[in-house]
């Protein structure tokens, strides 16, 4: 394997902001070297603190010497001309990968659409992520906040965020390919898929849908185009490598989160669960 055909993705041992980078590398046919840092819960005075030293006190120290902005996620690669790149900031990583693999638009108009959609998908991610990391005093407050997330994401009016994508797709999809731009896959498609997948877990967990079959979930909520998009994306042959990998099984959020850090939406069970994610995984 040539050094230039492998891309390293460093992130916590969760999906979080790292999953889309891993997904894109595997989709592209490059080899993926994943560096996975565990956040370890530590019981102190009857409550938990979280030890991130696998990252903060190890690789971060050296990588910081090469890029003072270093953060998680980061990507690292050697280009075919020998240039070594170390990039952090998830949007910069994704834009870079998009340009490298010709999935960031072919002209000025497409590129600007990619940028807008990437940021719009991030807004959708932020709604559920901030909810997931909030610890509520009781179940009623949690359910109320879940309803608020549902409304902000799924209400069928000018405010609901998913409605924006539904309408975008109405204007931009044809009947054969279900992608956001020009019926060809681009970086925001990966980001949208990853976030919708997290919302699927949320919708099932809080019983916002009657039919929990993924084929019907978005249809039931009045989003036929989102449904086609999601169901098409999950069946793309080049997505198989990611979907069959350990990375698709990782939790959406890290152990400090209340929602999505454990199994099927639950909180990480500090007493019963052990994070056995290998520190380094290479998939060719
Ligand atoms: N805006 C940054 C946020 C990065 C960030 O907050 N990373 C979190 C995980 S999601 C982290 O724990 N970083 C490790 C660090 O601060 O060194 C991005 O999009 O990459």
């Amino acid at each position: 394997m040539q050094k230039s055909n492998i891309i390293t993705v460093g992130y916590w041992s969760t999906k979080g902001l790292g999953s889309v980078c891993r997904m894109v590398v595997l989709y592209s046919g490059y080899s993926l070297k994943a560096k996975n840092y565990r956040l370890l819960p530590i019981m102190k005075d009857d409550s938990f603190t979280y030890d991130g030293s696998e990252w903060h006190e190890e690789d971060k120290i050296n990588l910081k010497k090469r890029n003072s902005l270093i953060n998680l996620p980061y990507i690292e690669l050697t280009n075919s001309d020998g240039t070594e790149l170390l990039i952090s900031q998830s949007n910069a990583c994704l834009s870079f990968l998009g340009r490298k693999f010709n999935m960031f638009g072919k002209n000025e108009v497409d590129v600007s659409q990619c940028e807008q959609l990437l940021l719009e998908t991030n807004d959708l991610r932020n709604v559920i992520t901030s909810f997931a990391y909030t610890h509520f005093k009781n179940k009623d407050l949690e359910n109320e906040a879940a309803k608020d997330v549902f409304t902000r994401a799924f209400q069928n009016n000018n405010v609901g965020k998913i409605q924006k994508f539904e309408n975008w797709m109405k204007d931009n999809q044809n009947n054969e390919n279900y992608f956001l731009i020009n019926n060809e896959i681009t970086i925001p498609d990966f980001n949208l898929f990853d976030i919708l997948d997290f919302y699927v877990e949320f919708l099932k967990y809080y019983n916002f849908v009657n039919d929990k079959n993924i084929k019907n979930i978005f249809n039931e909520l009045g989003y036929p185009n989102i449904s086609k998009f999601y169901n098409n994306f999950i069946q793309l042959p080049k997505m198989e490598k990611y979907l069959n990998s350990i990375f698709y099984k990782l939790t959406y959020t890290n152990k400090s989160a209340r929602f999505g850090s454990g199994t099927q939406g639950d909180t990480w069970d500090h007493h019963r669960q052990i994070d056995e994610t290998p520190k380094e995984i290479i998939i060719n």
Side-chain angles (χ1 to χ4, degrees):
M1 169 64 54
Q2 277 186 333
K3 223 177 157 192
S4 60
N5 286 345
I6 185 158
I7 296 181
T8 299
V9 177
Y11 195 64
W12 298 112
S13 58
T14 65
K15 287 190 178 130
L17 293 179
S19 55
V20 185
C21 293
R22 295 169 183 141
M23 204 186 279
V24 173
V25 173
L26 289 176
Y27 184 94
S28 74
Y30 266 53
S31 295
L32 168 69
K33 183 202 258 190
K35 297 283 216 96
N36 314 303
Y37 307 99
R38 290 174 310 165
L39 186 69
L40 300 171
I42 294 173
M43 180 67 120
K44 205 176 170 193
D45 302 330
D46 270 357
S47 62
F48 282 102
T49 57
Y50 297 91
D51 172 14
S53 58
E54 279 192 10
W55 161 243
H56 290 288
E57 285 165 33
E58 293 181 33
D59 285 1
K60 186 176 184 177
I61 293 173
N62 282 325
L63 293 174
K64 211 178 188 170
K65 293 178 192 153
R66 292 168 46 205
N67 181 347
S68 60
L69 305 180
I70 201 71
N71 207 329
L72 296 176
Y74 67 81
I75 59 171
E76 194 180 8
L77 66 149
T78 307
N79 259 343
S80 48
D81 65 2
T83 316
E84 290 188 356
L85 288 145
L86 174 62
I87 305 169
S88 72
Q89 285 294 338
S90 55
N91 285 338
C93 296
L94 290 177
S95 307
F96 175 87
L97 293 173
R99 289 190 299 272
K100 185 168 180 67
F101 298 127
N102 297 321
M103 295 192 289
F104 211 69
K106 291 189 174 58
N107 56 43
E108 213 176 30
V109 175
D110 298 353
V111 170
S112 121
Q113 292 191 342
C114 275
E115 288 167 344
Q116 291 173 67
L117 286 160
L118 186 56
L119 297 178
E120 193 69 49
T121 45
N122 284 344
D123 288 354
L124 186 59
R125 184 189 292 281
N126 291 341
V127 172
I128 190 162
T129 307
S130 54
F131 165 77
Y133 279 88
T134 307
H135 291 262
F136 300 97
K137 283 210 175 99
N138 57 51
K139 199 74 191 162
D140 286 347
L141 290 174
E142 176 185 335
N143 289 337
E144 226 171 85
K147 244 186 233 160
D148 184 50
V149 168
F150 179 75
T151 309
R152 284 164 66 200
F154 287 97
Q155 64 185 341
N156 295 24
N157 64 16
N158 284 335
V159 183
K161 293 203 180 301
I162 299 240
Q163 183 76 61
K164 293 186 183 185
F165 293 100
E166 178 70 16
N167 290 340
W168 176 280
M169 285 172 187
K170 214 179 279 165
D171 299 337
N172 292 283
Q173 280 180 339
N174 69 17
N175 284 329
E176 287 164 31
N177 297 303
Y178 303 105
F179 299 116
L180 288 162
I181 300 170
N182 290 341
N183 303 307
E184 278 179 24
I185 197 160
T186 56
I187 286 296
D189 290 312
F190 292 90
N191 213 28
L192 182 59
F193 169 75
D194 185 57
I195 298 158
L196 289 175
D197 217 34
F198 191 17
Y199 274 100
V200 166
E201 190 155 286
F202 168 85
L203 292 166
K204 288 185 190 168
Y205 188 85
Y206 289 102
N207 291 313
F208 284 115
V209 279
N210 297 318
D211 187 345
K212 295 192 174 159
N213 180 339
I214 181 55
K215 286 233 145 38
N216 308 324
I217 284 185
F218 295 113
N219 262 332
E220 180 183 325
L221 295 170
Y223 296 110
N225 288 312
I226 294 281
S227 179
K228 282 185 211 155
F229 168 86
Y230 181 91
N231 287 303
N232 179 61
F233 202 92
I234 207 163
Q235 284 175 46
L236 293 175
K238 280 160 86 179
M239 277 298 291
E240 253 177 46
K241 223 176 181 181
Y242 172 78
L243 296 171
N244 293 334
S245 76
I246 179 176
F247 302 111
Y248 191 49
K249 295 183 187 73
L250 295 178
T251 59
Y252 287 95
T253 51
N254 222 332
K255 305 191 185 57
S256 55
R258 182 195 39 78
F259 177 71
S261 51
T263 326
Q264 294 179 341
D266 276 336
T267 311
W268 179 265
D269 184 338
H270 306 282
H271 302 291
R272 293 212 186 92
Q273 288 183 273
I274 300 170
D275 185 348
E276 289 177 324
T277 316
K279 273 194 172 177
E280 186 174 299
I281 298 171
I282 296 179
I283 298 186
N284 290 312

